[in-house]
Amino acid sequence: MAGICLAMWFAGLASLTSSSRMLFAFARDGGLPFASWLRTVRRATATPVNATATCAGAAALLVMATASSERAFLAVAALATIALYASYSVPIALGAVARQRGTWRKPGRFHLGRSGIPVAWGAVVWAGFVFVVCAMANGLAALLFVGMLVAMLGLWVARVRGRFTGPKVDLAHFEERV
């Protein structure tokens, strides 16, 4: 039981670390409401405390909201898995497309050579398999994920498309640093 508790602690800590880092990065680039507050970095610790506290608070609210319903809790857990795999597979697929088109020419320090593109597409296929398995196990999670995608696309078209152009960095900037 102690090992399970420890594993759950580290899984939660990894999720909090990842989500707060993404929240901070989007706020830093001006892509979120309340961006100036979320991107604040505490000088004493050099950490984005507001973004971290926001993610921890949102997670606590989500647990409280789903604690009374096993169906809702399982749907949110499956949705988290689906969304996590989507967040991994989208940049992998975009990177594979960029390498196939030749717009990403200089590999980083770790690369798989010619095997990189097939391995990347294999990872994307695996993520699709995980989506199917989670959707079969919990159809509500799949509906929530599709609904979330539709809502985010609608928000992007209605409000964000003309305002937020993304970070002011291009791929060439990163290739020069390697």
Side-chain angles (χ1 to χ4, degrees):
M1 185 58 108
I4 292 170
C5 289
L6 192 62
M8 294 302 290
W9 169 262
F10 282 116
L13 188 60
S15 295
L16 178 63
T17 303
S18 175
S19 62
S20 61
R21 176 66 182 109
M22 285 186 283
L23 186 66
F24 168 75
F26 279 109
R28 178 199 59 211
D29 296 335
L32 295 172
F34 311 108
S36 61
W37 184 78
L38 288 169
R39 70 175 164 234
T40 302
V41 175
R42 182 174 287 173
R43 287 184 186 180
T45 60
T47 56
V49 175
N50 295 346
T52 305
T54 300
C55 288
L61 288 173
L62 189 59
V63 166
M64 288 188 288
T66 61
S68 62
S69 169
E70 181 181 352
R71 183 171 186 249
F73 180 80
L74 292 175
V76 168
L79 175 62
T81 303
I82 291 170
L84 185 65
Y85 273 84
S87 73
Y88 290 153
S89 64
V90 168
I92 291 170
L94 292 174
V97 168
R99 284 179 287 204
Q100 285 176 323
R101 290 183 177 170
T103 56
W104 187 351
R105 293 185 190 102
K106 187 175 180 184
R109 290 189 178 126
F110 175 81
H111 60 88
L112 298 175
R114 283 191 253 172
S115 301
I117 294 172
V119 168
W121 286 118
V124 172
V125 168
W126 176 255
F129 173 74
V130 170
F131 178 85
V132 170
V133 168
C134 286
M136 287 172 32
N138 193 312
L140 180 58
L143 289 174
L144 288 171
F145 183 73
V146 171
M148 182 182 65
L149 287 179
V150 169
M152 289 184 346
L153 180 63
L155 179 64
W156 181 78
V157 168
R159 303 258 342 221
V160 179
R161 180 176 48 174
R163 188 180 68 80
F164 181 66
T165 58
K168 309 294 187 268
V169 177
D170 62 347
L171 189 58
H173 169 78
F174 288 108
E175 288 180 342
E176 290 171 8
R177 297 176 73 189
V178 175

